Amino acid sequence: MSAREAILARLGPADGDSAAEARALLDRPERPAVDAARLIETFAEQLAAPSVAASLDRAASPQELPAAVRRYFAAIPGPPPLYVPPEPWLLALDWTGVALDPVCAIDGGAALALATAAVAETGSLVLDTAPAAPMLPNFLALHHLVVVRAETLVAHLEDVPAPAHWPRARYWVTGVSGTTDIEGQYVRGAHGPRFLHVILLG
């Protein structure tokens, strides 16, 4: 018996339960139903799922964004400095009480970002690069704070519209990164921020 045959013999035929489970997967709709009237609720549920592990807050207007950031910082020990991308309307907001850092701190600070869109189905965020939206801070900070405009929230992944002009890079973020490579223990933030906080604007 060859090594290949020995391995296949040890695997054996699929039992009835496994076959039934496989058939059930084929019977399910590939695209899960998302109630258009509950986009925000579905998005919030996906963010709270263990696989995404993100927190969520609301801001009715851009002027309320700094207050939402202050609420997040009030709930964590030792509020970190915040990197705000060079978007003029963001920089013009009243950031009193928030320590702004022109350079994103590595592994210890917080970075604010503007999402191009978000997906209720998966809790995913779409981030596009631009002169006023550098991408590197989104991978350096310990705390990633992402602003999502409510009108850009869509039901499914394929509903995210293509941009009129493609950015240099487009990133899809679904929760924080994790790994079990280190002694089999699950570690959050192994390849980027450890904490993801979404602020739904509008």
Side-chain angles (χ1 to χ4, degrees):
M1 180 182 292
S2 68
R4 178 179 182 276
E5 291 169 339
I7 292 172
L8 292 176
R10 291 188 64 184
L11 292 175
D15 58 37
D17 290 342
S18 298
E21 185 177 348
R23 282 193 296 271
L25 289 174
L26 294 174
D27 292 337
R28 294 176 192 165
E30 187 170 327
R31 179 167 134 148
V34 175
D35 186 349
R38 297 187 70 256
L39 283 186
I40 292 177
E41 292 83 356
T42 303
F43 182 55
E45 290 165 3
Q46 289 301 317
L47 290 178
S51 57
V52 179
S55 51
L56 175 67
D57 197 0
R58 303 286 299 271
S61 68
Q63 290 70 31
E64 293 184 19
L65 280 177
V69 171
R70 286 191 289 269
R71 285 195 296 272
Y72 176 75
F73 283 171
I76 62 176
L82 176 70
Y83 170 82
V84 176
E87 181 68 52
W89 70 267
L90 276 178
L91 296 174
L93 297 175
D94 182 8
W95 293 102
T96 301
V98 178
L100 299 184
D101 192 343
V103 179
C104 182
I106 300 175
D107 290 339
L112 188 71
L114 299 174
T116 303
V119 183
E121 173 192 0
T122 57
S124 300
L125 308 169
V126 182
L127 303 174
D128 290 345
T129 57
M135 192 54 54
L136 191 57
N138 300 323
F139 295 98
L140 295 179
L142 181 67
H143 299 269
H144 194 197
L145 284 68
V146 180
V147 178
V148 175
R149 292 185 181 275
E151 64 269 20
T152 68
L153 182 60
V154 299
H156 298 98
L157 293 167
E158 60 268 36
D159 296 335
V160 174
H165 302 284
W166 276 96
R168 187 172 184 86
R170 165 168 278 195
Y171 294 85
W172 297 69
V173 176
T174 308
V176 297
S177 68
T179 182
T180 55
D181 291 344
I182 305 169
E183 297 183 354
Q185 299 296 314
Y186 178 64
V187 178
R188 285 177 54 177
H191 311 293
R194 189 177 301 168
F195 304 99
L196 176 62
H197 183 65
V198 177
I199 302 173
L200 192 63
L201 177 60

